[in-house]
Amino acid sequence: MAKKPERIRMRKTSRWYKRIYVHIKNPASGVEGLRNVPLVLLSDGRPGYILNQYIFYLLQGGITDSKLEFNVRALEYLYAFTMALGEKAATTIEQGGALLAGFIDARRHGTDNFCATNKTHLQYLKKLGLHWEKTSDTSIKRDIRAINDFDL
């Protein structure tokens, strides 16, 4: 007897979200079969509605698995950064620009014990609880493209 495919699989977790993978009928037109897709749950256990709707939109457009992974991860990172800031997070359009600049700084310099910058205005990165290592400018540009695509 053939073994049934695993329907739900936990993949990526953070203090503020969990990502599970589920098999769904492929929503891309003209494509048959099941597709293993991410479903993002927020810290309260509820689905991240807007992000999951965006994932479905990307799936309908036929996005590849690797590009979907990059896009989802960038948005998860931005969400975690926003949550780590707490009350300091953006609430206006102007503050949104500062939030994105801070996110780029966190990705570029790392956070917590990985952050070695001595710049006074970036010392808050050492107390976020994200424990991100420094990342390359190429990865940061990919993150920004994914965030911009989501924001359109």
Side-chain angles (χ1 to χ4, degrees):
M1 182 188 262
K3 183 178 177 184
K4 285 186 174 183
E6 185 179 348
R7 292 283 182 195
I8 297 177
R9 176 175 53 101
M10 182 66 76
R11 177 70 186 273
K12 178 89 173 169
T13 61
S14 143
R15 189 162 134 201
W16 295 283
Y17 65 86
K18 291 180 183 172
R19 185 188 322 167
I20 61 173
Y21 281 81
V22 296
H23 286 85
I24 65 168
K25 182 180 175 194
N26 198 329
S29 77
V31 180
E32 294 289 322
L34 295 176
R35 184 156 181 188
N36 195 30
V37 299
L39 176 69
V40 179
L41 305 174
L42 304 181
S43 60
D44 64 3
R46 295 181 184 182
Y49 178 75
I50 294 171
L51 177 54
N52 290 316
Q53 282 295 120
Y54 181 63
I55 291 169
F56 191 75
Y57 166 77
L58 293 174
L59 292 167
Q60 286 178 314
I63 192 169
T64 64
D65 288 342
S66 63
K67 187 164 183 185
L68 180 62
E69 170 72 23
F70 289 127
N71 284 23
V72 170
R73 184 175 46 218
L75 295 170
E76 288 170 340
Y77 285 166
L78 180 60
Y79 177 73
F81 180 74
T82 303
M83 296 303 291
L85 289 176
E87 293 178 5
K88 298 177 208 153
T91 56
T92 67
I93 292 173
E94 294 80 24
Q95 291 171 325
L99 175 74
L100 195 54
F103 173 74
I104 292 168
D105 286 335
R107 298 286 285 145
R108 179 169 287 135
H109 298 288
T111 66
D112 306 291
N113 54 319
F114 296 107
C115 182
T117 186
N118 291 324
K119 295 179 181 178
T120 306
H121 72 287
L122 296 178
Q123 294 308 299
Y124 76 98
L125 295 175
K126 296 178 180 180
K127 301 174 191 159
L128 290 177
L130 294 167
H131 306 284
W132 291 348
E133 294 184 35
K134 295 191 276 186
T135 192
S136 69
D137 285 344
T138 301
S139 292
I140 294 168
K141 287 176 187 174
R142 194 176 329 175
D143 289 346
I144 299 305
R145 272 194 305 272
I147 292 165
N148 284 337
D149 288 349
F150 175 75
D151 199 33
L152 293 178

